[in-house]
Amino acid sequence: MTTHAVIIVDTDGFITSWNDGAVQLFGHQASSAIGARVDIIIPENLRDAHWVGFHRAMANPEIKDMAADLPVLCSDGRIREFAGRLLALSDGMQTAIGAIAIYRADGSTGVRPFSTGDST
């Protein structure tokens, strides 16, 4: 069975939902992840670029959908790549309400825009 990590963040980038798949894939317990900034899974060298893109998506939350192999900073300090999809979320009035990220435990999209070369 394929494990999917599903993470939801608010418009400020704080984690509001962290499923069991995220615990399995990334190692952070939900109790420590929920309420934390999403920086806990973003490799340090990608954080500035992440926040530029995140704030742009929150300011203009049209359908923002990207599927790629995404590097994730796991609780053990390792950076691993997972096939993932990022989506900006908005209400019926096109007001941003946050974002969702869905990662898959196995497989690859073949797209690696943020590859760090450190994945295992």
Side-chain angles (χ1 to χ4, degrees):
M1 182 173 178
T2 300
T3 298
H4 289 86
V6 180
I7 301 166
I8 300 174
V9 299
D10 65 15
T11 56
D12 294 318
F14 288 93
I15 298 167
T16 61
S17 181
W18 184 269
N19 77 340
D20 289 340
V23 173
Q24 291 176 27
L25 293 185
F26 309 145
H28 299 280
Q29 295 301 311
S31 59
S32 64
I34 293 173
R37 239 178 123 109
V38 74
D39 285 343
I40 66 169
I41 64 165
I42 300 170
E44 190 171 342
N45 65 319
L46 298 175
R47 287 183 188 156
D48 288 342
H50 167 268
W51 288 113
V52 167
F54 183 85
H55 292 304
R56 184 174 44 236
M58 293 300 100
N60 186 21
E62 296 173 359
I63 296 177
K64 305 287 184 188
D65 180 2
M66 181 188 75
D69 293 348
L70 303 170
V72 174
L73 176 61
C74 296
S75 66
D76 64 2
R78 292 177 38 203
I79 297 172
R80 297 177 56 207
E81 285 187 353
F82 298 93
R85 179 170 301 278
L86 305 175
L87 295 146
L89 301 173
S90 62
D91 64 15
M93 300 300 292
Q94 294 302 312
T95 300
I97 60 171
I100 186 170
I102 304 166
Y103 301 87
R104 182 181 169 128
D106 58 354
S108 172
T109 66
V111 177
R112 300 178 74 195
F114 309 109
S115 180
T116 63
D118 295 338
S119 65
T120 54

